[in-house]
Structures are given as C-alpha cells and as structure tokens.
Amino acid sequence: IAPALDLVTNDGDADTALEVRWPLQLMVGAGIVFTSITVVEPWALVAVALGVAVALPALKRIVPRGTFRAVRGVPAAAVTAFVLSVGFLAIDAFLTLMLTEVRGLTIGQAGLAVTGATLTWALGSAWQSSRADRMRPSRLLIVGAALVFVGGVGVAAALSTEVPLASAYVGWAIVGFGMGVAFPTIPLAAMRAAGEGEEGTE
C-alpha cells in the first residue's frame, strides 16, 4: 500500500481531502466483520459489532455526503452500486457450492453456469452501451436490477431438487445480463450527476 500512496495527489482543500487513515480503518473493520460472520461461535457476534464500530465512522468519511440517505445524484449511485454488488455476490459466493453439494454436479459442470453468466454479462454491457444515449440511466438501472432479481429467484429455486436444474443455469445467465446492463450504468449516472469538472472528485 505504502508505495501506491505516493501516487495519489491531494489537490483538494481541507474539507474534501481524504486522509489515508479512513480507507485503512474501513479495511480493518470490514475484515473483522467478514471474517467473523464465517465463524459459528457466540463470540463472533461481539466481533461483528466491533468490526461495524470500527468500519462505520470510516465509511461515513469516504462515501459522498448524503449516501446513507440515498440523496438523488452521486450519493444514490453509490448506494445502488453497493446494493447491486451485495445482491450479486451473495449468490455468486454460493452458486457452485449449491450446484456441487446440493445438486451433485462436478466442478466442471458447475463452472459452466459461471461461464454462461460471464458471456451474458458481456452481452448485457453491449446492449446497455447501445442504448445509454437514448434511455435514462434510471430506466436502465431498473431493467438491470429487475433482471438480477428475477434471475436470482431462479437460482435460489434450484436449491430444491424438485425444481429443474436448468433453473440455476438460466437464472444465473439472466443475472449476468442484468449486471451487464446495470453495473456500467451506475458510473455513467454518477458522472452525469456530478458538476462540470467534478466527475472524478466524488
């Protein structure tokens, strides 16, 4: 980290400059939280609370003002990016485990679902880029988020062995397309909401 910090210029004033301690503190707090939630022990709850107490003040210093209230513009874009990422990663982290341990597939067969979503993500991004100038970012986000939700339901349904296995593959492909539509739209919306010359400051 230390050599990289020398590459970061600080041209902001005292009110906007970000001290290095805040990203580091957020990293430590988030590390405690995410490590603790993988431990099934009573003390893990205390560790989670400690991690949140460490991370939250740092997070407030880092995110754009108004993020916790999802104020229209850049703050709302930041919240959207977080929620969308959590929704995607919550499924992605357990998809192959579900396919192998619950549905009895091999790693190679489970990996095909990941490959399919990678391809549909690229297709979704291509579709989004061809419409970004003609559709409002909010509409693109709604389309993408709706696809992520619908696809996620399809993947979750595959936890039941009574549901056809194709539900997981098709559902994850739909999630990939939705992420391809929504995810590149978020920075586009943030840049449009920022003032002229401030596109990279938030």
Side-chain angles (χ1 to χ4, degrees):
I1 296 173
L5 295 178
D6 293 334
L7 303 177
V8 181
T9 59
N10 184 7
D11 297 326
D13 55 35
D15 294 331
T16 60
L18 178 65
E19 296 179 26
V20 174
R21 63 164 286 194
W22 299 120
L24 295 178
Q25 182 174 326
L26 177 60
M27 178 184 70
V28 171
I32 294 172
V33 170
F34 291 125
T35 301
S36 301
I37 61 176
T38 64
V39 180
V40 187
E41 295 289 346
W43 59 262
L45 295 175
V46 177
V48 169
L50 174 64
V52 170
V54 171
L56 197 56
L59 183 62
K60 288 180 178 179
R61 295 277 188 154
I62 293 172
V63 297
R65 189 172 300 170
T67 295
F68 289 93
R69 293 179 286 114
V71 174
R72 186 180 182 89
V74 176
V79 173
T80 304
F82 174 77
V83 173
L84 191 66
S85 297
V86 169
F88 173 80
L89 293 173
I91 304 173
D92 181 61
F94 296 99
L95 174 67
T96 53
L97 179 64
M98 181 268 287
L99 291 175
T100 55
E101 297 298 321
V102 177
R103 302 307 297 254
L105 301 184
T106 65
I107 290 293
Q109 291 170 326
L112 291 176
V114 178
T115 302
T118 302
L119 296 175
T120 55
W121 188 314
L123 290 173
S125 293
W127 184 85
Q128 182 268 358
S129 65
S130 67
R131 288 161 176 77
D133 292 331
R134 292 179 285 155
M135 293 179 65
R136 293 169 55 92
S138 58
R139 183 168 297 179
L140 286 169
L141 279 172
I142 290 172
V143 170
L147 289 172
V148 171
F149 177 79
V150 170
V153 170
V155 173
L159 281 165
S160 171
T161 54
E162 297 179 0
V163 174
L165 187 58
S167 177
Y169 285 87
V170 173
W172 198 233
I174 292 172
V175 169
F177 192 92
M179 287 296 290
V181 173
F183 212 71
T185 302
I186 295 171
L188 176 64
M191 287 188 288
R192 288 183 179 178
E196 186 175 352
E198 298 179 351
E199 293 83 357
T201 60
E202 295 288 356

